[in-house]
Amino acid sequence: MTMKWLGKATAQAEKDLPVREYRVTTKTARVICMIVGYLVMLLTSAQGFCREINVLLIHGRLHNTKEHYGHFRDDQSGAWSGLKPLTAGNVWYVQWDAWNHYFDDSSWPGGEAVIRDAIDALCDNNKGQACWILCHSAGCAAFEDYLSKSDYAHNSILIEHVMAADSAAGGSELADNGVLRFIGGLTGLGGRIDNSLKTSYARGAYNHNNMQSVVVRGVGGATSSYPLSWLLACNFFPRQSGSGLNTQCTVCVEGRFGPVERECDDGTVALHSTCGHNRKASFQDCNSRIPPHDDTAGTYAYHGWWINDHVCNGDFAQDCNWNGPYSSDEKTLWNSRFKTYRVDHSDGKQVVVHEYSFAPAVLCP
């Protein structure tokens, strides 16, 4: 994060100075040289100190026939339920057709197309801009798709980091089985986007390892508190048995007298997707490839949980030390052993907005 510095200089006309004041000692000369040097540094660094901070909120699957498409200063679609992060910069709501278009659709108003347009307009370092991304569900899939296919490593776009709530980047088993249409208050309705949220499609749409050094920190929901959790969790999502399982996940029983199993999801997406795991399987926790962590066996590159790592904004060379969660509300939802949050698919949005608002300003300005 950069700060804006304001300086004032006062001077006195030479004719008003006593004659004896013209005798400048060597020590005084050095001090004057230092002051001049600092002023030159500040003036030549003016652009860096005046960087425009833009926080982009990208919504997920949504059916709203009155939604406008593009990037806006207010939550016109209602996708974020009025949530707005506290920031010293500007908040932008990126709205795309997350019903009739695939998340990787490069034609307007598909996910990739609208996100590319917003980032080109708001995240150009050559214009003194920098971006922080908060995405939800299919919006995270759309953003990652854009990033992996862009020439980010060779252009002037600057994205400091990504906070991914309930990410559907790995797809959902409910889309695989046509069940997605029966949740979220849209009983019996299904959009074209659902085909792109099938696990096979979502995982094959782009290179999930190619985040081009942009870190994606996920909020993975693991809870059994949503309606009909036993029906959805135990019949559609992958589960596992054994000891030391995540107690906040849904309990399932294999057969009448079978072993007790647990399945971890947020009611719509399982942890293999929300945590950036590199395969469709049963996971009880989130892992990380963000330094100092290196779970190469189970997690995509540049993915991890929100938040315990050492990567500064947009910079792997420095060594920061982040230890969240930071919001008092989110601390009560945090499962420190498994790096998950006790939230359903909708409440993950609140977690990332609150965490951005309460995180250190150098991380989330």
Side-chain angles (χ1 to χ4, degrees):
M1 175 187 170
T2 56
M3 293 186 294
K4 186 181 295 183
W5 292 80
L6 299 176
K8 294 183 179 179
T10 59
Q12 191 174 14
E14 289 185 3
K15 63 182 177 63
D16 297 328
L17 292 173
V19 174
R20 65 177 179 271
E21 293 299 321
Y22 284 99
R23 298 181 61 186
V24 180
T25 65
T26 302
K27 183 177 181 180
T28 303
R30 289 177 178 173
V31 171
I32 293 173
C33 288
M34 290 175 62
I35 293 173
V36 171
Y38 283 129
L39 288 174
V40 170
M41 289 173 61
L42 288 173
L43 290 173
T44 56
S45 306
Q47 182 177 1
F49 286 109
C50 299
R51 175 168 292 167
E52 177 183 323
I53 298 166
N54 290 316
V55 184
L56 277 57
L57 277 65
I58 307 173
H59 70 66
R61 180 178 181 267
L62 180 68
H63 187 210
N64 182 347
T65 57
K66 297 181 180 180
E67 181 181 14
H68 302 160
Y69 303 124
H71 51 279
F72 307 93
R73 295 302 301 274
D74 63 336
D75 184 19
Q76 182 269 332
S77 69
W80 290 85
S81 303
L83 289 167
K84 185 176 184 179
L86 299 176
T87 175
N90 310 303
V91 175
W92 294 89
Y93 295 87
V94 180
Q95 301 184 174
W96 58 290
D97 187 353
W99 190 254
N100 299 302
H101 289 258
Y102 282 22
F103 69 77
D104 62 338
D105 193 338
S106 59
S107 63
W108 193 272
E112 183 185 335
V114 175
I115 290 172
R116 183 183 302 278
D117 177 73
I119 288 177
D120 285 348
L122 302 171
C123 309
D124 191 341
N125 191 39
N126 284 344
K127 301 176 185 176
Q129 301 169 325
C131 280
W132 284 253
I133 307 296
L134 277 62
C135 62
H136 178 245
S137 191
C140 300
F143 171 79
E144 287 195 11
D145 176 80
Y146 151 77
L147 184 60
S148 71
K149 295 175 180 177
S150 72
D151 60 346
Y152 178 83
H154 306 287
N155 62 26
S156 57
I157 298 299
L158 178 56
I159 298 170
E160 298 288 13
H161 67 79
V162 181
M163 300 173 68
D166 313 308
S167 174
S172 171
E173 284 77 3
L174 300 189
D176 292 348
N177 293 279
V179 183
L180 205 55
R181 66 181 59 197
F182 294 105
I183 65 172
L186 300 174
T187 304
L189 296 177
R192 187 168 179 266
I193 189 177
D194 293 352
N195 290 325
S196 70
L197 296 177
K198 293 181 178 180
T199 54
S200 58
Y201 187 96
R203 290 184 173 275
Y206 61 93
N207 182 355
H208 292 245
N209 282 307
N210 188 32
M211 294 296 98
Q212 306 196 63
S213 297
V214 175
V215 295
V216 180
R217 297 181 174 105
V219 169
T223 182
S224 59
S225 62
Y226 59 87
L228 300 178
S229 61
W230 60 271
L231 175 63
L232 294 175
C234 300
N235 289 281
F236 297 101
F237 296 113
R239 57 189 189 271
Q240 66 189 89
S241 59
S243 59
L245 301 180
N246 191 332
T247 58
Q248 293 182 348
C249 299
T250 304
V251 175
C252 305
V253 178
E254 181 64 30
R256 186 173 181 180
F257 303 104
V260 173
E261 300 177 321
R262 286 192 181 272
E263 191 288 317
C264 300
D265 69 278
D266 62 14
T268 304
V269 184
L271 287 184
H272 70 75
S273 177
T274 55
C275 295
H277 289 301
N278 59 16
R279 61 190 181 277
K280 174 186 171 181
S282 176
F283 289 90
Q284 299 286 305
D285 60 359
C286 291
N287 293 305
S288 180
R289 292 278 298 278
I290 304 174
H293 312 290
D294 192 23
D295 176 39
T296 56
T299 306
Y300 287 124
Y302 303 110
H303 289 74
W305 67 81
W306 178 269
I307 180 178
N308 301 97
D309 60 63
H310 294 174
V311 175
C312 303
N313 278 339
D315 190 352
F316 281 76
Q318 300 183 48
D319 186 12
C320 295
N321 187 14
W322 312 122
N323 286 292
Y326 298 102
S327 163
S328 58
D329 288 342
E330 275 53 56
K331 287 178 180 179
T332 64
L333 303 171
W334 171 240
N335 186 332
S336 60
R337 178 183 174 187
F338 294 95
K339 311 299 187 292
T340 57
Y341 289 82
R342 184 168 41 84
V343 294
D344 63 21
H345 192 68
S346 178
D347 288 342
K349 292 180 289 188
Q350 177 176 295
V351 173
V352 294
V353 170
H354 284 182
E355 282 298 291
Y356 186 99
S357 301
F358 287 92
V362 291
L363 175 63
C364 297

